[in-house]
Amino acid sequence: MNPQRGQEGGSAFVYPITVGPDAIDELDHVNNAVYLTWVQQAITAYWVAHAPAEEVAKIAWIALRHDIRYRSEAFLGDQLEAKVLLRGFRGSRSQFEIQFSRGSVSVAEVDTTLCCIDRETRQLHRITHELARHFAIVA
């Protein structure tokens, strides 16, 4: 997979996905739970692509909440894009929107709230403007 930055003001990140056989359920489409795995993979790729290695080694992100809206089915072999947008942050929490699409077809949209923690201590880590600048949300 070859993630890349999006074109919307530098704040979007595109994570490509090829639907493999392990994503398919008994109804021959992508299983709902697989979208959460893709959310985690896309946000992790976004973080790794934007943050310095020392920040990636120090900080982890854990899920607090996911809200998924399914728009269309996805099938084996489909080429999807997960567009990741950081919507904002406060304290140790951040809000992301992930838009899954197949070409111009919207497949699913996920609103996700993550919490930033220190990898070593497992304590909450406040998202500072210095940290947020890696996501190009702060000028």
Side-chain angles (χ1 to χ4, degrees), residues 35-36 39 43 65-70 83 85 96-100 108-113:
Y35 287 94
L36 296 180
V39 164
I43 291 174
R65 179 184 173 143
H66 299 294
D67 179 26
I68 304 175
R69 291 168 306 286
Y70 299 100
K83 184 188 243 183
L85 302 127
F96 288 88
E97 179 182 335
I98 299 88
Q99 301 168 351
F100 292 94
E109 297 166 0
V110 183
D111 291 320
T112 297
T113 301

Side-chain angles (χ1 to χ4, degrees), residues 6-7 12 14-16 37 41 46 50 60 62 84 88 99 121 131 134:
Q7 299 300 315
V14 177
Y15 184 77
T37 298
Q41 291 171 347
Y46 183 49
H50 285 78
I62 58 174
V84 180
Q99 301 168 351
T121 66
L131 182 61
H134 300 304

Side-chain angles (χ1 to χ4, degrees), residues 39-136:
V39 164
Q40 184 69 33
Q41 291 171 347
I43 291 174
T44 298
Y46 183 49
W47 172 236
V48 169
H50 285 78
E54 60 272 10
E55 294 288 350
V56 172
K58 180 181 177 183
I59 294 170
W61 300 88
I62 58 174
L64 295 177
R65 179 184 173 143
H66 299 294
D67 179 26
I68 304 175
R69 291 168 306 286
Y70 299 100
R71 306 289 185 198
S72 179
E73 295 176 298
F75 302 98
L76 181 64
D78 279 353
Q79 301 293 315
L80 305 179
E81 287 188 345
K83 184 188 243 183
V84 180
L85 302 127
L86 177 63
R87 291 295 185 201
F89 63 94
R90 183 176 182 181
S92 62
R93 294 180 181 206
S94 59
Q95 294 79 39
F96 288 88
E97 179 182 335
I98 299 88
Q99 301 168 351
F100 292 94
S101 62
R102 180 181 54 250
S104 63
V105 176
S106 177
V107 175
E109 297 166 0
V110 183
D111 291 320
T112 297
T113 301
L114 300 179
C115 188
C116 184
I117 64 168
D118 182 287
R119 285 184 185 274
E120 185 177 321
T121 66
R122 300 286 199 253
Q123 297 297 310
L124 297 178
H125 186 89
R126 184 171 186 77
I127 302 169
T128 63
H129 286 283
E130 177 68 20
L131 182 61
R133 77 177 176 78
H134 300 304
F135 291 104

